[in-house]
Structure formats: C-alpha cells, structure tokens
Amino acid sequence: MGSFSWYTILRIAVVYALVAVIAAGIAYLANQLGRQIGKRKMSVLHLRPRYTSILITTCTGSAVALITLTVFAFLSEPVRGLLVGVEKLKAQEAQLRQNIDMLQRTLAEGTFIWRVDEPIVHMTIPGGLSYERTRSAVTSLLAEANIRTIMRNNAIAAEKGDKAITVNEILIDYDPEQVESLTNSLSSDPNVMGLRVLAAQNCLYGQKAPLRLESWKVHKVFSENEVVSSCRIDNRRPMMEFFKFVEDTRQKAISKGMRPIDGELGGGLNDADFERLQSDIAKQSGPFELAAVANRDLYETSSLDIRIEVRKIDNKGRVKN
C-alpha cells in the first residue's frame, strides 16, 4: 500500500465514516426542523413561512457545521494546526528561507571570520586584583579581540582586493552589562581565573562580530623555574634540532593542559634572546641539552613564557646546571 500503514488507512477510514455520519445527521436535523417550521407557518423578520423555513434550515446547518469543526479542532491536533497554525508556519518558512539565503551567500563567498563559540583571545587574571585593574585587563582583552578580528577581515580583504580596515575601527559587539558584571565578579574572587572572549555566533566578513565573555577557575600547569621540556642536541645539526625542540615544547605544554588559540600559545623568544641562544649553542664543543624553563607560574590560559637554557653534559652523561 505504498508508504501508508494499515493503521493509517484504518484511521482515515474512521474519520471519513465520522464525517459521513455527521453530515447525514446535519441533513436530517435540518430537514426535520424545516418541516416543523413549515407546518406551524412561523415567520421570522417578516418573511413568508416558506422562506423562514429555508432561513432556519440554512442557519441550523451552518451552526451544526461550525460546532462540529470546533469539536474536531479541540480533539485533533492536525485540525487545530490547520486552523490556527498557518500564520506561524508562514513565519517559520520565511525565517528558514532567510537563513538558507544567508548560508548560501556565506558559503559562496567563504566569509566566516569566527565560528560560533570559537575562542578568540584569552588571559589569566590573578586573584585579588582591584576593580580598576580588573577592568583594565578586561578592556585590554576586548581590544585584542578587536585587533584579531580586524586582522582576519583584512586577510580576506587582501584576497578580494577590498580596502583594508584600519586598526582604529571597532569591529566587535558585546553586552556592556555582561562586561560590568563579569568585572565585579572577577575583582572580588581570590582565585586565579581564566578569562576568554568567544564568538557569540557565526561572524561574517565586513560585519561586527558579536562576542561573549566567560571566566572560570584555572589550574596551574607549570610552576616558576619548572622545566617544561628538554632535549639532548646532536652537535652536527644543532639548529635543525632546535626548531624541532621548540615545536615539541609547544606540544608538551598543550598536552599538560595549556590552551592554545589558533593552535598557538603565544610567548616565544625575542631577537636578543634568540641571538644569545645561538651564541651559547655555537660555543658548545661536546654534547649538550636544551631546556625550556618557565619564567613564572603558567596556567591554562597563560602564554608560554619560557627561557631556553643550554646545559652541558659531562663525560658520564649527566647534565651540568
């Protein structure tokens, strides 16, 4: 029987039978009422008895039909939806069409800047900060989120040949009340907290990015002066192994619980530190070890603030600090 089950067919048959019975009952009642009115020669609105009979019969049939439809509407969800849900369905259809048009336009242009719930920037807030310092930290984080949003827009603008957005423009949108509430909460919390900015929805190229902020208690991943990672270096190709060591350090920090943004942890060596490290490596005549050491306590949302130490290895294979 195609896609219809026997239960569906039986239910349809019952509905048809009920409609037939009700229709027959309406016709019979209307006919009987019309006859009675005709026999008594009643008159309504100064009409002749014959026309009065026709009027009463017609009104009675209409009333019974309306009552029947009302009863079906109360008893049947599909009927009720047909009567009162048409406008709602039209509104839903219009919204769906709008969403489809937006998605088709977005997919055609490939213009997502941030996707919903994507982390944009984060930071660590020490416990016990004053309201003013906490407010300054939150404001600086929002400013960084704005810069990163502008940079992503400008990367697409360069591909499209569009005009670049200046760093003075505001390309983010957030709830000031949420920022104020969060600032008050953080300034009164004695714990070290993580704070991050996320995309509140899919953000499109050239439009303001709706953002939201969230905070949570973070745990310490590395203590100050703790070795994050270490590696013994082959003197024959020290710089090649150095860059592999840097990547291994990043992966080790992530595996321990530090949270990256776009796969990166921030931090790194400045030019002076890198030149000093190259000099220290060049001085080594025998085996040595590189150690990435935390400059301070590092939490989940900290940048990877480390220094790289060159440590000699003695004839017995022990590291000299």
Side-chain angles (χ1 to χ4, degrees), residues 124-157:
T124 304
I125 304 286
L129 286 184
S130 65
Y131 171 86
E132 290 75 18
R133 292 182 64 187
T134 304
R135 177 73 184 188
S136 176
V138 173
T139 302
S140 68
L141 193 67
L142 287 170
E144 186 180 349
N146 186 59
I147 293 295
R148 293 204 67 215
T149 302
I150 290 173
M151 291 173 62
R152 285 212 173 183
N153 272 273
N154 284 344
I156 295 177

Side-chain angles (χ1 to χ4, degrees), residues 6 44 47 52 60 69 76 106 120 131 144 150 172 179 191 235 240 260 289-291 312:
W6 285 108
V44 174
L47 296 174
T52 298
T60 303
L69 185 60
S76 173
T106 300
I120 300 173
Y131 171 86
E144 186 180 349
I150 290 173
I172 59 174
V179 172
N191 297 302
N235 259 17
M240 183 182 297
E289 178 184 270
L290 292 179
K312 292 183 178 181

Side-chain angles (χ1 to χ4, degrees), residues 77 139 168 201:
E77 179 68 29
T139 302
N168 296 324
Q201 64 185 53

Side-chain angles (χ1 to χ4, degrees), residues 22 65-66 80 93 136:
I22 291 172
L66 291 174
R80 187 162 59 251
E93 180 185 9
S136 176

Side-chain angles (χ1 to χ4, degrees), residues 19-240:
V19 171
V21 170
I22 291 172
I26 291 172
Y28 177 76
L29 288 173
N31 182 59
Q32 290 297 106
L33 184 60
R35 284 186 176 184
Q36 293 298 323
I37 292 171
K39 287 179 180 180
R40 298 181 182 183
K41 300 186 181 301
M42 295 174 62
S43 177
V44 174
L45 301 176
H46 305 290
L47 296 174
R48 292 181 180 182
R50 177 185 175 189
Y51 296 115
T52 298
S53 174
I54 293 173
L55 176 64
I56 296 298
T57 302
T58 303
C59 290
T60 303
S62 299
V64 174
L66 291 174
I67 292 171
T68 303
L69 185 60
T70 303
V71 171
F72 268 106
F74 275 107
L75 298 178
S76 173
E77 179 68 29
V79 174
R80 187 162 59 251
L82 180 63
L83 293 175
V84 301
V86 174
E87 293 303 319
K88 182 179 179 182
L89 288 174
K90 286 183 178 179
Q92 290 177 343
E93 180 185 9
Q95 183 63 45
L96 286 172
R97 288 185 180 278
Q98 183 179 352
N99 293 342
I100 290 171
D101 289 343
M102 186 186 73
L103 286 172
Q104 287 177 338
R105 186 172 64 255
T106 300
L107 291 173
E109 298 178 358
T111 57
F112 279 126
I113 302 300
W114 306 111
R115 296 186 181 275
V116 61
D117 291 333
E118 182 178 358
I120 300 173
V121 287
H122 62 208
M123 70 185 308
T124 304
I125 304 286
L129 286 184
S130 65
Y131 171 86
E132 290 75 18
R133 292 182 64 187
T134 304
R135 177 73 184 188
S136 176
V138 173
T139 302
S140 68
L141 193 67
L142 287 170
E144 186 180 349
N146 186 59
I147 293 295
R148 293 204 67 215
T149 302
I150 290 173
M151 291 173 62
R152 285 212 173 183
N153 272 273
N154 284 344
I156 295 177
E159 294 177 0
K160 293 177 174 291
D162 295 343
K163 183 180 178 181
I165 301 170
T166 66
V167 294
N168 296 324
E169 294 192 42
I170 304 299
L171 213 58
I172 59 174
D173 188 22
Y174 56 88
D175 183 358
E177 292 185 2
Q178 188 209 8
V179 172
E180 182 65 21
S181 175
L182 190 60
T183 302
N184 284 318
S185 174
L186 289 170
S187 63
S188 62
D189 199 316
N191 297 302
V192 178
M193 303 293 289
L195 175 65
R196 68 178 175 181
V197 178
L198 305 97
Q201 64 185 53
N202 289 331
C203 306
L204 302 178
Y205 168 65
Q207 298 180 3
K208 281 194 173 184
L211 308 179
R212 63 182 178 85
L213 292 84
E214 67 176 23
S215 64
W216 72 100
K217 182 180 177 181
V218 290
H219 71 272
K220 184 164 61 177
V221 181
F222 299 104
S223 299
E224 184 178 357
N225 294 323
E226 181 180 349
V227 174
V228 177
S229 69
S230 61
C231 177
R232 297 199 174 189
I233 301 297
D234 185 344
N235 259 17
R236 292 171 296 180
R237 45 182 187 177
M239 294 313 297
M240 183 182 297

